[in-house]
Amino acid sequence: MADRHTRITFLIKILNLFHSKNSLFHLFIFLIGLPIGFICSFYLQSFCTVVQASILSVFHSLSLASSPPLLPHADNLSSLTPPQPLQPNEKTPMMHNMSDEELVKSVMEVSTTTTTSYKVAFMFLTPGPLPLSPLWELFFKGHEGLFSIYVHPHPSYNDTFPQDSVFYGTRITSQPVYWGDISMIDAERRMLANALLDPLNQRFVLLSDSCIPLFNFTTTYNYLVNSNLSYIASFDDKRKSGRGRYNPQMAPNITIQDWRKGSQWFEVNRDLALAIVADQNYYSLFKEYCHPPCYNDEHYLSTLVNILYGRLNSNRTITYVDWSIVGPHPRKFGGGEITKDLLNSVRFGSTECVYNDNTTPMCVLFARKFAPSTLNPLLTFSSLLFGTNN
C-alpha cells in the first residue's frame, strides 16, 4: 500500500507541475532532458567497457609477471620439454559473421587466463593454398593443445584439407588482400583478433604460404613463450625507401623522427597483440596518408611500436629473408637450391642477437620465400630441421 501511495503522490506532483504557470517551460525542460539522459547513459556504459578492458589487461600483465622465471639462454631450448597438451576449450568458431569492428569488441570482452600452459597462435596469410603444409604437419605432429592455427586465404579460395590434417577447420572469415594496400594491415589485425578470442593464445606469429620452420616445435615453442619481448623489425631508414615514404600530413601525431621501417612478418605477445587490434588513431592516419610508394605493411607496425611500445619490442624479426638481390621482392628459393649447407646457413648464419639479455646465434625461427618445388627436398632434410624423432 505504501508503494501505491508513493506512485499516486508522484503522479499528482507531475500533473501539478504541468498545470502550473510554468507548465510549458517545465515540459520543454523535460523533453530536452530525456534524450540527454539516454545519451549520457550510453556513453557511461561505453566508458565502463573501456575501463573493464584496461583492468583485464592489467590483471593479464600481473599474471604473466607471476609466471615461472624466463630462460637465461636460448642455446638449450631444444632440450626443454613444453608443458603437457591442454584440453580443448570452447571458443568462437573460425568462420563467423562478425565484422572487424564486432570482432575487436568481442576480443575486449575475453577474460584472461591464469594458466601457465600457453599456446602459440600460428597465423598463415595466403592468397590460397599452403603448398608447404606437409612440412608444417611434421612440425606440429605430437604437440596438439600447445598451438592454434589460423588461415586467412582469399574469400574465393576453396579449402581442400582432409579432416585428419592439422589445417582442417582453421580457415577464418577473410577479406580480399592487395599488395601494398591498407587491406594488408586489415588482414593482419583480423588474424590477431581471431586468435585473441582464445585466451590461451599468448604468442602470435604471422606467416606466409612460403614460410618454413627452421627448428622443431619444442625449440620454437620455448623460444617464444619464454621470451620477454616481441619481435617486430623496426629501424630508422634514412633513404628514399624509408624516410622518403613519410607523409608530413601525419604530423603532429607521427613525425619524421617517429617514422620506422621493418619486415611485415612479426611475432608478438598478447599485450602487444591487444594494443594492435585496439589502435584506431595511428591506423586511421596510415589509411588516409600512406599510399604507394608508401607501403603500410612495411611501416605501420614498426612505427606504432616505436612510438608507444618500444620497451616491449626487440626491434628485430625472427623470420629470415634474403634481400641480396636487387628488386622490390626478396629472393625466392627453388627446389634445386635446397641443401644442408643452405639450411644451416639460414638457421645459424645470422650475426649474434640478444635474447632475454643474453647474446645468441639463434636469431631466426622461420624463413621465406620457399617455392612449392622445395617441398620434397625440405621433407628429405626434415630430420635436420626437426630432429630424428620426425
Side-chain angles (χ1 to χ4, degrees):
M1 293 292 293
D3 292 340
R4 181 180 179 187
H5 176 72
T6 301
R7 288 196 297 270
I8 293 174
T9 302
F10 175 75
L11 291 173
I12 292 174
K13 289 181 179 181
I14 293 296
L15 291 174
N16 288 336
L17 174 67
F18 291 126
H19 283 290
S20 65
K21 290 188 297 181
N22 297 323
S23 61
L24 291 177
F25 173 76
H26 289 126
L27 178 60
F28 174 76
I29 295 298
F30 176 76
L31 293 176
I32 291 296
L34 185 62
I36 292 176
F38 280 117
I39 293 173
C40 290
S41 175
F42 171 79
Y43 280 103
L44 181 60
Q45 182 180 9
S46 299
F47 173 77
C48 291
T49 301
V50 172
V51 171
Q52 181 184 24
S54 300
I55 293 174
L56 288 175
S57 179
V58 170
F59 278 116
H60 169 68
S61 299
L62 292 175
S63 69
L64 288 183
S66 62
S67 298
L70 298 172
L71 296 179
H73 296 282
D75 302 334
N76 298 320
L77 289 173
S78 60
S79 63
L80 298 173
T81 303
Q84 292 298 313
L86 306 169
Q87 295 299 320
N89 59 303
E90 292 187 8
K91 57 184 179 181
T92 303
M94 294 284 191
M95 298 294 291
H96 50 71
N97 295 322
M98 286 188 288
S99 65
D100 287 352
E101 292 75 16
E102 293 169 333
L103 189 57
V104 171
K105 183 178 180 181
S106 297
V107 166
M108 296 307 173
E109 296 173 353
V110 174
S111 299
T112 55
T113 177
T114 57
T115 180
T116 57
S117 298
Y118 297 139
K119 293 197 294 186
V120 176
F122 293 84
M123 307 178 301
F124 291 85
L125 181 59
T126 173
L130 292 174
L132 303 177
S133 60
L135 183 69
W136 285 99
E137 296 269 4
L138 286 178
F139 172 79
F140 289 120
K141 184 178 180 181
H143 301 284
E144 291 75 12
L146 294 176
F147 64 87
S148 302
I149 299 176
Y150 301 85
V151 181
H152 185 298
H154 191 279
S156 64
Y157 174 71
N158 294 320
D159 292 291
T160 56
F161 290 112
Q163 292 189 14
D164 60 350
S165 168
V166 294
F167 289 96
Y168 179 78
T170 60
R171 176 174 180 160
I172 67 171
T173 303
S174 60
Q175 295 293 334
V177 177
Y178 304 100
W179 184 75
D181 187 71
I182 192 66
S183 60
M184 190 76 76
I185 302 301
D186 293 336
E188 294 174 7
R189 284 157 52 105
R190 188 177 303 118
M191 297 192 78
L192 281 173
N194 275 276
L196 282 165
L197 291 176
D198 186 344
L200 296 182
N201 287 332
Q202 295 295 318
R203 308 292 302 204
F204 305 78
V205 186
L206 180 67
L207 301 160
S208 75
D209 54 308
S210 67
C211 282
I212 66 167
L214 296 174
F215 300 93
N216 62 38
F217 182 89
T218 300
T219 300
T220 304
Y221 179 92
N222 286 319
Y223 193 106
L224 298 179
V225 170
N226 290 287
S227 175
N228 54 14
L229 293 174
S230 294
Y231 298 93
I232 298 178
S234 179
F235 62 96
D236 184 7
D237 185 354
K238 295 181 172 61
R239 299 173 303 171
K240 183 179 180 180
S241 58
R243 285 196 177 193
R245 297 174 177 176
Y246 170 74
N247 189 333
Q249 291 180 286
M250 292 182 169
N253 291 327
I254 301 176
T255 67
I256 188 67
Q257 289 76 23
D258 297 326
W259 190 253
R260 292 295 184 271
K261 183 179 179 180
S263 169
Q264 173 187 5
W265 311 102
F266 63 80
E267 190 280 337
V268 296
N269 65 17
R270 189 172 183 91
D271 287 333
L272 192 48
L274 282 166
I276 291 170
V277 301
D279 170 57
Q280 287 300 323
N281 294 332
Y282 297 94
Y283 168 82
S284 61
L285 287 172
F286 271 84
K287 184 175 183 178
E288 184 172 0
Y289 298 118
C290 182
H291 305 285
C294 176
Y295 301 102
N296 291 275
D297 55 291
E298 293 185 7
H299 297 281
Y300 169 66
L301 288 183
S302 302
T303 301
L304 177 68
V305 298
N306 174 59
I307 297 174
L308 299 179
Y309 310 105
R311 63 182 180 81
L312 302 178
N313 188 37
S314 66
N315 293 331
R316 67 181 177 91
T317 181
I318 52 173
T319 300
Y320 171 89
V321 66
D322 185 349
W323 282 103
S324 61
I325 61 174
V326 179
H329 302 288
R331 173 185 177 186
K332 190 170 189 176
F333 296 98
E337 299 177 84
I338 305 303
T339 63
K340 180 179 179 180
D341 289 340
L342 172 68
L343 293 175
N344 279 332
S345 68
V346 172
R347 299 167 82 210
F348 302 108
S350 303
T351 56
E352 286 193 338
C353 56
V354 176
Y355 175 84
N356 287 358
D357 300 323
N358 292 278
T359 58
T360 175
M362 187 176 169
C363 301
V364 292
L365 300 178
F366 313 98
R368 63 186 301 270
K369 302 173 65 171
F370 288 79
S373 61
T374 63
L375 176 60
N376 287 333
L378 287 170
L379 292 175
T380 301
F381 288 109
S382 62
S383 60
L384 170 68
L385 299 174
F386 308 144
T388 55
N389 290 338
N390 294 96

